[in-house]
Amino acid sequence: MQKTRMGMTPGLIAIVGFLTVCPVVMLILGSFSEGLNAFGTFTLSKYVKAYTDPAFAEILVNTAIFTIGSAIVSTVLALFLAYLNTRTNIPFKFMFRIISLIPMMVPHILFAVSWVLLLNPSNGMINLFLRQVFGWEGAALSIYTLQGMILVEGLLDLPIAYLVIAPAMSAFDVSLEESSKVCGASNLRTLMRVTLPVLRPAILAAATLVIVRSLASFAVPSVIGMPGRIYVLATHIYRVVATGYVTDYGMAAAVGMSALAASITLIFLYRHLTREGEKYVTISSRGYRPSVIDLKGARYPLFGIVALLSFVLIILPVLVLFYTSVVPYSMVPSAKAFAMMGWKHWIAVLKDPVSLLSLKNSLYLGVGGATLGMILSFFVAYVIVKVRTKASGFLESLSFLSFSFPGIVVGIGFMWFFVQTPLYATIWALLIGYIATYLPYGIRPLTSAFVQIHSNLEESSRVCGGGPLYTMRRIVIPLLVPGIVSGWILMATMFVRELSLSVVLSRPGTEVLAVQILRFAEDGLWGRLSALGIIMIFISTTLVVIASRIGAKLTKVDK
Amino acid sequence: MEISIKGLNKNYYSEGKTIAALDQVDLIIPANRIFTLLGPSGCGKTTLLRCIVGLEMPDSGEIAIGGEVVFSTEKGIYVPPDRRGLGMVFQTYAIWPHMNVFDNVAYPLQTRNEPKDDIRRKVEKTLHFVQLDGFEKRPATKLSGGQQQRVALARALVAEPKVILFDEPLSNLDAKLREETRKELRAFLTELKITAVYVTHDRIEALSLSDTVAVMKSGRIVEMGTPREIYFDSDRRFVADFIGRANFIEGRVATVGEGETTVDSAIGAIACEKKINASPGAAVTVCIRPEFIRVLKADHNVGRNIFRGKVESLVFVGDAYEGEIRVGETLLIFRIEPTTAVREGEEIALHFDPRHCSILLN
């Protein structure tokens, strides 16, 4: 047993090392090469070309405004929600759990598209409505602006910020607040002078994480930014490799280097801040219960805001997409619109061979990729938690490295690699890329599941007369099932909707759902897009439901 | 069943250093008694317990349970824990969170593939014994700390093991519950007439639960005896100090008489009735526990073991006064009736009961 464990660690380091380091190394080498066909011929020209481009300064400014703006929007909203949930008597608290789970329900690209359908200047539903009812001329509101991008990205990243801030808020030592009140400060004053300053590391950590995510975001910049000619780093890279007459992977790699460097720096900052936060936040001893602030008359108005947010985040996009998929062209909901409803777009999508192929590919990548990803994660998590050596510590840092990499940059790096191999333009290229990029999402739930299995639980079974295999079957595996299932669901839903990596690696024949939706958006085929989008949401939801059913059957975890 | 341990050694290696968790331990644990391993953390008591149960592999030595050798480096025997037929209660209880109370308790029987009806009957009987009737269907995680503890006990008992082992089972309970559970546990174990090995660092637990206490230090058994022997007649300062609060007064043996030894010390001559194998002139330490110091009126000066001192501090702790008395340069701790009229700063006389002055060899 001891020996197999020893042998496992180097093997895993090799696999995980390949997955995370390979795209980075290839990206670096690629950025110094002439081109995909001339890999290895050293040149600095790509850097010169990339960074002397007069438009590049504007792209950097856009990126900074976009990422910081999104971070402010989502952090402020997350603070508001976390405070209401953990510290006040607001009704229907289950809503907060739903808000924190939405990233699994509506894919980012569809969320962005639904806002385009509502607010695009030519035929956005709200604009049409304003024109018809108030007789406003032209486009009253346009989503194709930096503000529009910030709003949509901020809403999309809200759950991430919430998941960072809410635990810090609930672990907050209430006696700090109580002593402030004893000193005569009001609730508001206490909030501003004590609560928020103590939570500062958590708030900054949340904001940093959102900046990393929005830097890597491709859905919003492509669907909302590109029609408005607003380019950020991610879409700039995309433009260099996917549009125009000449694709230049060398220049894309050179630009990607700065995005990668920024992400890595920010992740280090994030880690530093979370450690800082742990120092700050004091968890009181037993019997601790956070005191709840009575909102009195403000309870329902504040709840109204939360309900509105949930509606905008979850229900509105699905409604808009479904509506668009059944009306022949953009129109405000009306009797006329209802009379003209039909399944035209659905039939078109279901007859479109490329859409069907993308459906098949995404399903295959979702189910197969998540399964392979979880097998790898299982062994990595096992080594990280149960084999505590220097090598396993190295494996741990290695496996979380890719967490910070923007998908499109990893995609460019892998492109340089796959072109040299027969994997190029196959579905295997996508599979490897997906697993490399999303491995941390599989490892994390499994490590926490492994950590929870205290060694006494196994030992106790041995003393009770259970042999090693019996113990594995009746104790270890049943206790791991929740971790395996939640990891699988997370990976599968992320693979089904994957966009930023696929946009680079997907080739004719290996189209996937999100890429196909992007194509429809670029062509303005909103009806078909919406039909395919609803199918995509349906698939994600079905995967979640099936996986949790299987999980519930395999284990009888009574809560 | 008797457990006999011969020459057991176990070393840990950490950062290049070798730590002896067990150092040549020889021990006979008597059958059908409650035997306690007591010692500070890191003394090797838990390691010894885990070696007995088979979760830890000693470096060398032999362990036999009821005549059957379960571990021996010489004979190359290692019986894995699942074949030793023991019961164990872990410090964390190790209640399986994915099973209800019934499955947790039934587990040892299920591993033996016993018929379902037998299992049901035995589980019911055991749950009744630990006063958890009707808890079968409860999820194990929905129980209170004390109830989980009893489930763990039921699980350890259900298969009627030869020996039951406890690894600090009360340390996760709060003070009041710990006291109640301790009494219950004593009642259960006395009724069962089973060999129990109990590991703890809590002296009150050790004294109140055990038939025999073995005190451990740095991987060795320092002293073994009944709770009374350990408390009143320990031979070593470490044991006397660990088992309760005590005053230690350095001195030399002056005279050795019939049933009484006199020791010259900094505070004067102390008469001790305890037997001791020391000749006059030997350097010794007199140990007197705070509750055996009597406080008398200042003018009281008749009799042996009377000293004069000044009350330096006095604290009312509810059931007693605790404080310090200065006798010459020596500071003694004492504990007296809460109704005694003594004030801080008062000059008083104090008396040591010669029957409770024990002499420790240096």
Side-chain angles (χ1 to χ4, degrees), chain A residues 286 454 456-468 470-471 474-476 478-479 555-559, chain B residues 50 53 55 80-82 86 88 90 92 94-99 103 107-108 110-112 139 141-142 155 172:
Chain A
R286 291 183 204 176
H454 193 285
N456 277 2
L457 294 177
E458 290 170 64
E459 288 170 357
S460 157
S461 161
R462 296 299 306 276
V463 177
C464 285
Y470 192 88
T471 303
R474 288 212 49 196
I475 308 294
V476 181
L479 287 172
T555 177
K556 279 193 294 171
V557 177
D558 311 277
K559 279 179 189 154
Chain B
R50 289 171 63 88
V53 82
L55 291 170
D82 39 302
L86 308 175
M88 179 161 172
F90 287 82
T92 57
I95 300 292
W96 298 304
H98 58 302
M99 295 181 186
D103 282 328
Y107 191 91
Q110 289 165 352
T111 62
R112 289 164 176 76
T141 44
K142 276 275 171 67
R155 185 175 65 190
N172 280 334

Coordinates of all heavy atoms in Angstrom, one line a residue, chain A residues 286 454 456-468 470-471 474-476 478-479 555-559, chain B residues 50 53 55 80-82 86 88 90 92 94-99 103 107-108 110-112 139 141-142 155 172:
Chain A
R286 N -17.9 28.0 21.3 CA -19.2 27.3 21.2 C -20.4 28.3 21.6 O -20.2 29.2 22.3 CB -19.3 26.1 22.1 CG -18.4 25.0 21.7 CD -18.6 23.9 22.7 NE -17.4 23.1 22.7 CZ -17.3 22.1 23.5 NH1 -18.2 21.8 24.3 NH2 -16.2 21.3 23.5
H454 N -12.5 11.7 8.7 CA -11.5 11.6 9.7 C -11.0 10.1 9.8 O -11.8 9.2 9.6 CB -12.2 11.9 11.1 CG -11.2 12.2 12.2 ND1 -10.6 11.2 12.8 CD2 -10.8 13.3 12.8 CE1 -9.8 11.7 13.7 NE2 -9.9 13.0 13.7
N456 N -10.3 8.3 12.1 CA -11.0 7.5 13.1 C -12.2 6.7 12.5 O -12.6 5.7 12.9 CB -11.6 8.4 14.2 CG -10.5 8.6 15.3 OD1 -9.4 8.2 15.1 ND2 -10.8 9.3 16.3
L457 N -12.9 7.4 11.5 CA -14.0 6.7 10.9 C -13.6 5.4 10.2 O -14.4 4.4 10.3 CB -14.7 7.6 9.9 CG -15.4 8.9 10.4 CD1 -15.9 9.7 9.3 CD2 -16.5 8.5 11.4
E458 N -12.5 5.4 9.6 CA -12.0 4.2 8.9 C -11.5 3.2 10.0 O -11.8 2.0 10.0 CB -10.8 4.5 8.0 CG -11.2 5.2 6.7 CD -10.0 5.7 6.0 OE1 -9.2 4.8 5.5 OE2 -9.8 6.9 5.9
E459 N -10.7 3.7 11.0 CA -10.1 2.9 12.0 C -11.2 2.2 12.8 O -11.1 1.0 13.1 CB -9.3 3.7 12.9 CG -8.0 4.2 12.3 CD -7.2 5.2 13.1 OE1 -7.8 5.6 14.2 OE2 -6.2 5.6 12.7
S460 N -12.2 2.9 13.1 CA -13.3 2.4 13.9 C -13.9 1.2 13.2 O -14.3 0.2 13.8 CB -14.3 3.5 14.2 OG -15.5 3.0 14.4
S461 N -14.1 1.3 11.8 CA -14.6 0.2 11.1 C -13.7 -1.0 11.2 O -14.1 -2.2 11.3 CB -14.8 0.6 9.6 OG -14.9 -0.5 8.8
R462 N -12.4 -0.8 11.1 CA -11.4 -1.9 11.2 C -11.6 -2.6 12.6 O -11.6 -3.8 12.7 CB -10.0 -1.4 11.1 CG -9.6 -0.8 9.7 CD -9.8 -1.7 8.6 NE -9.0 -3.0 8.7 CZ -7.8 -3.1 8.4 NH1 -7.1 -2.1 8.0 NH2 -7.2 -4.3 8.6
V463 N -11.7 -1.8 13.6 CA -11.8 -2.4 15.0 C -13.1 -3.2 15.1 O -13.1 -4.2 15.7 CB -11.7 -1.3 16.1 CG1 -11.9 -1.9 17.4 CG2 -10.4 -0.6 16.0
C464 N -14.1 -2.7 14.4 CA -15.4 -3.4 14.5 C -15.4 -4.7 13.7 O -16.4 -5.3 13.6 CB -16.5 -2.5 13.9 SG -17.0 -1.2 15.1
G465 N -14.3 -5.0 13.0 CA -14.3 -6.2 12.3 C -14.4 -6.1 10.8 O -14.4 -7.1 10.1
G466 N -14.4 -4.9 10.3 CA -14.5 -4.7 8.8 C -13.1 -4.7 8.3 O -12.2 -4.0 8.7
G467 N -12.8 -5.6 7.3 CA -11.5 -5.6 6.6 C -11.3 -4.4 5.8 O -12.2 -3.6 5.6
P468 N -10.1 -4.2 5.1 CA -9.8 -3.0 4.4 C -10.8 -2.8 3.2 O -11.3 -1.7 3.0 CB -8.4 -3.3 3.8 CG -7.8 -4.3 4.7 CD -9.0 -5.1 5.2
Y470 N -13.9 -4.1 2.9 CA -15.2 -3.9 3.5 C -15.4 -2.4 4.0 O -16.4 -1.8 3.7 CB -15.4 -4.8 4.7 CG -16.8 -4.9 5.2 CD1 -17.8 -5.8 4.6 CD2 -17.2 -4.1 6.3 CE1 -19.0 -5.9 5.1 CE2 -18.5 -4.2 6.8 CZ -19.4 -5.1 6.2 OH -20.7 -5.2 6.7
T471 N -14.3 -1.9 4.6 CA -14.3 -0.5 5.1 C -14.4 0.4 3.9 O -15.1 1.4 4.0 CB -13.0 -0.3 5.9 OG1 -12.9 -1.2 6.9 CG2 -12.9 1.1 6.4
R474 N -18.1 0.2 2.6 CA -19.2 0.7 3.4 C -19.0 2.0 4.1 O -19.9 2.7 4.5 CB -19.5 -0.3 4.5 CG -20.2 -1.6 3.9 CD -21.2 -2.2 4.9 NE -22.1 -1.3 5.5 CZ -22.8 -1.6 6.5 NH1 -22.7 -2.8 7.1 NH2 -23.7 -0.8 7.1
I475 N -17.7 2.4 4.2 CA -17.5 3.7 4.9 C -16.9 4.8 4.0 O -17.5 5.8 3.8 CB -16.5 3.5 6.1 CG1 -17.0 2.4 7.0 CG2 -16.3 4.8 6.9 CD1 -18.3 2.7 7.7
V476 N -15.8 4.5 3.3 CA -15.0 5.5 2.6 C -15.8 6.0 1.4 O -16.1 7.2 1.2 CB -13.6 5.1 2.2 CG1 -12.9 6.2 1.5 CG2 -12.8 4.7 3.4
P478 N -19.1 5.6 0.4 CA -20.4 6.3 0.7 C -20.1 7.7 1.2 O -20.9 8.6 0.8 CB -21.1 5.5 1.7 CG -20.5 4.1 1.6 CD -19.1 4.3 1.1
L479 N -19.1 7.9 2.0 CA -18.8 9.3 2.5 C -18.3 10.2 1.4 O -18.4 11.4 1.5 CB -17.9 9.2 3.7 CG -18.5 8.7 5.0 CD1 -17.4 8.5 6.0 CD2 -19.5 9.6 5.5
T555 N -25.8 7.0 -1.7 CA -25.5 7.2 -0.3 C -26.8 7.6 0.4 O -27.6 8.4 -0.2 CB -24.5 8.3 -0.2 OG1 -24.3 8.5 1.2 CG2 -24.8 9.6 -0.8
K556 N -27.0 7.2 1.6 CA -28.1 7.6 2.4 C -27.7 8.6 3.4 O -27.7 8.4 4.6 CB -28.7 6.4 3.1 CG -29.6 5.5 2.2 CD -30.4 4.6 3.1 CE -29.5 3.6 3.7 NZ -30.2 2.8 4.7
V557 N -27.2 9.7 2.9 CA -26.7 10.7 3.9 C -27.9 11.4 4.5 O -28.6 12.2 3.8 CB -25.8 11.8 3.2 CG1 -25.4 12.8 4.2 CG2 -24.6 11.1 2.7
D558 N -28.1 11.2 5.8 CA -29.2 11.8 6.5 C -28.7 13.1 7.1 O -27.7 13.1 7.7 CB -29.8 10.9 7.6 CG -30.1 9.6 7.1 OD1 -31.1 9.4 6.5 OD2 -29.2 8.7 7.3
K559 N -29.3 14.2 6.8 CA -28.8 15.4 7.3 C -29.4 15.8 8.6 O -30.4 15.4 9.0 CB -29.0 16.5 6.3 CG -27.9 16.4 5.2 CD -28.1 17.5 4.1 CE -27.1 17.2 3.0 NZ -27.6 17.7 1.7
Chain B
R50 N -3.4 2.1 20.8 CA -3.6 1.8 19.4 C -2.7 0.6 19.0 O -3.1 -0.1 18.0 CB -3.2 3.0 18.6 CG -4.2 4.1 18.6 CD -3.7 5.4 18.0 NE -3.4 5.3 16.6 CZ -4.4 5.4 15.6 NH1 -5.6 5.8 16.0 NH2 -4.1 5.2 14.4
V53 N -4.9 -2.4 20.0 CA -6.1 -2.7 19.2 C -5.6 -3.0 17.8 O -6.4 -3.6 17.0 CB -7.0 -1.4 19.2 CG1 -6.5 -0.3 18.3 CG2 -8.4 -1.8 18.9
L55 N -4.1 -0.8 15.5 CA -4.1 0.3 14.5 C -2.7 0.8 14.3 O -2.4 1.6 13.4 CB -5.0 1.4 14.9 CG -6.5 1.1 14.9 CD1 -7.3 2.1 15.6 CD2 -7.0 0.9 13.5
P80 N -4.4 -8.3 12.1 CA -5.0 -6.9 11.9 C -6.2 -6.6 12.8 O -6.8 -7.5 13.4 CB -5.5 -7.1 10.4 CG -5.6 -8.5 10.2 CD -4.7 -9.2 11.0
P81 N -6.5 -5.3 13.0 CA -7.5 -5.0 14.0 C -8.8 -5.7 13.8 O -9.5 -6.0 14.8 CB -7.6 -3.4 13.8 CG -6.9 -3.1 12.6 CD -5.9 -4.2 12.3
D82 N -9.2 -5.9 12.5 CA -10.5 -6.5 12.3 C -10.6 -8.0 12.7 O -11.6 -8.6 12.7 CB -11.0 -6.3 10.9 CG -9.9 -6.5 9.9 OD1 -8.9 -5.8 10.0 OD2 -10.0 -7.4 9.0
L86 N -12.0 -6.9 19.3 CA -12.1 -6.0 20.4 C -13.1 -4.9 20.1 O -13.7 -4.8 19.0 CB -10.7 -5.3 20.5 CG -9.5 -6.2 20.6 CD1 -8.2 -5.4 20.6 CD2 -9.6 -7.1 21.8
M88 N -13.9 -0.7 20.6 CA -13.2 0.6 20.9 C -14.1 1.8 20.8 O -14.9 1.9 19.9 CB -12.0 0.7 20.0 CG -11.2 2.0 20.3 SD -9.5 1.9 19.6 CE -8.9 3.6 19.8
F90 N -13.7 5.8 20.3 CA -12.7 6.8 19.9 C -13.0 8.1 20.6 O -14.2 8.4 21.0 CB -12.7 7.0 18.4 CG -12.1 5.8 17.7 CD1 -12.8 4.7 17.4 CD2 -10.8 5.9 17.3 CE1 -12.3 3.6 16.7 CE2 -10.2 4.8 16.6 CZ -11.0 3.7 16.3
T92 N -13.2 10.9 19.1 CA -14.1 11.6 18.2 C -15.4 10.9 18.1 O -16.3 11.3 17.3 CB -13.5 11.8 16.8 OG1 -13.2 10.5 16.3 CG2 -12.3 12.7 16.9
A94 N -16.2 8.7 16.3 CA -16.2 8.1 15.0 C -17.5 7.4 14.6 O -17.6 6.3 14.1 CB -15.1 7.0 14.9
I95 N -18.6 8.2 14.9 CA -19.9 7.7 14.4 C -20.0 8.0 12.9 O -19.8 9.1 12.5 CB -21.0 8.5 15.2 CG1 -20.9 8.3 16.7 CG2 -22.4 8.2 14.7 CD1 -21.2 7.0 17.2
W96 N -20.4 7.0 12.2 CA -20.5 7.2 10.7 C -21.7 8.0 10.4 O -22.9 7.7 10.6 CB -20.6 5.8 10.0 CG -19.3 5.1 10.3 CD1 -18.0 5.4 10.1 CD2 -19.2 3.8 11.0 NE1 -17.1 4.5 10.5 CE2 -17.9 3.5 11.1 CE3 -20.2 2.8 11.4 CZ2 -17.4 2.3 11.6 CZ3 -19.7 1.7 12.0 CH2 -18.3 1.4 12.1
P97 N -21.4 9.2 9.8 CA -22.5 10.2 9.5 C -23.5 9.7 8.5 O -24.6 10.3 8.4 CB -21.8 11.4 9.1 CG -20.5 10.9 8.5 CD -20.1 9.7 9.3
H98 N -23.2 8.8 7.6 CA -24.1 8.4 6.6 C -25.0 7.2 7.0 O -25.8 6.7 6.2 CB -23.4 8.0 5.3 CG -22.4 6.9 5.5 ND1 -21.3 7.0 6.4 CD2 -22.3 5.7 4.9 CE1 -20.6 5.8 6.4 NE2 -21.2 5.1 5.5
M99 N -25.0 6.8 8.3 CA -25.8 5.7 8.7 C -26.7 6.2 9.9 O -26.3 7.1 10.6 CB -24.9 4.6 9.2 CG -24.1 3.9 8.2 SD -23.1 2.6 9.0 CE -22.1 2.1 7.6
D103 N -27.8 1.2 12.1 CA -26.7 0.6 11.3 C -25.3 0.9 11.9 O -24.4 0.0 11.8 CB -26.7 1.3 9.9 CG -27.8 0.7 9.0 OD1 -28.0 -0.5 9.2 OD2 -28.4 1.4 8.2
Y107 N -23.2 -2.5 12.8 CA -22.1 -2.7 11.9 C -21.1 -3.9 12.3 O -20.8 -4.8 11.5 CB -21.3 -1.4 11.9 CG -20.2 -1.4 10.8 CD1 -20.5 -0.9 9.5 CD2 -18.9 -1.8 11.0 CE1 -19.6 -0.8 8.5 CE2 -17.9 -1.7 10.0 CZ -18.3 -1.2 8.8 OH -17.3 -1.2 7.8
P108 N -20.7 -4.0 13.6 CA -19.8 -5.1 13.9 C -20.4 -6.5 13.7 O -19.7 -7.4 13.3 CB -19.5 -4.9 15.4 CG -19.8 -3.5 15.7 CD -20.9 -3.1 14.7
Q110 N -22.8 -7.0 11.4 CA -23.0 -7.1 9.9 C -21.6 -7.6 9.3 O -21.7 -8.4 8.4 CB -23.4 -5.8 9.3 CG -24.8 -5.4 9.6 CD -25.1 -4.0 9.4 OE1 -24.3 -3.2 9.0 NE2 -26.4 -3.6 9.5
T111 N -20.5 -7.2 9.9 CA -19.2 -7.6 9.3 C -19.1 -9.1 9.5 O -18.3 -9.8 8.8 CB -18.0 -6.9 9.9 OG1 -18.0 -7.2 11.3 CG2 -18.1 -5.4 9.8
R112 N -19.7 -9.6 10.5 CA -19.6 -11.1 10.8 C -20.7 -11.9 10.1 O -20.8 -13.1 10.3 CB -19.7 -11.3 12.3 CG -18.5 -10.8 13.1 CD -18.8 -10.7 14.6 NE -17.7 -10.4 15.4 CZ -17.2 -9.1 15.4 NH1 -17.7 -8.2 14.7 NH2 -16.1 -8.9 16.2
P139 N -31.0 9.6 12.5 CA -29.7 9.8 11.9 C -28.6 10.1 12.9 O -28.9 10.8 13.8 CB -29.9 11.0 11.0 CG -31.3 11.4 11.1 CD -32.0 10.6 12.2
T141 N -26.1 11.8 13.0 CA -25.5 13.1 13.2 C -26.5 14.0 13.9 O -26.2 15.1 14.3 CB -25.2 13.7 11.8 OG1 -26.3 13.4 11.0 CG2 -24.0 13.2 11.3
K142 N -27.8 13.6 14.1 CA -28.8 14.4 14.8 C -28.7 14.2 16.3 O -29.6 14.7 17.0 CB -30.2 14.1 14.2 CG -30.5 14.8 13.0 CD -31.1 16.2 13.3 CE -31.2 17.0 12.0 NZ -32.3 16.5 11.1
R155 N -21.9 0.4 20.1 CA -21.2 -0.2 19.0 C -20.0 -1.0 19.4 O -19.8 -2.1 18.9 CB -20.8 0.8 18.0 CG -20.2 0.3 16.7 CD -19.9 1.4 15.7 NE -18.8 2.2 16.2 CZ -18.5 3.4 15.6 NH1 -19.2 3.8 14.6 NH2 -17.5 4.1 16.1
N172 N -14.6 15.3 24.7 CA -15.3 16.2 23.9 C -16.6 16.7 24.5 O -17.5 17.3 23.9 CB -15.6 15.6 22.5 CG -14.4 15.7 21.6 OD1 -13.6 16.6 21.8 ND2 -14.3 14.8 20.7

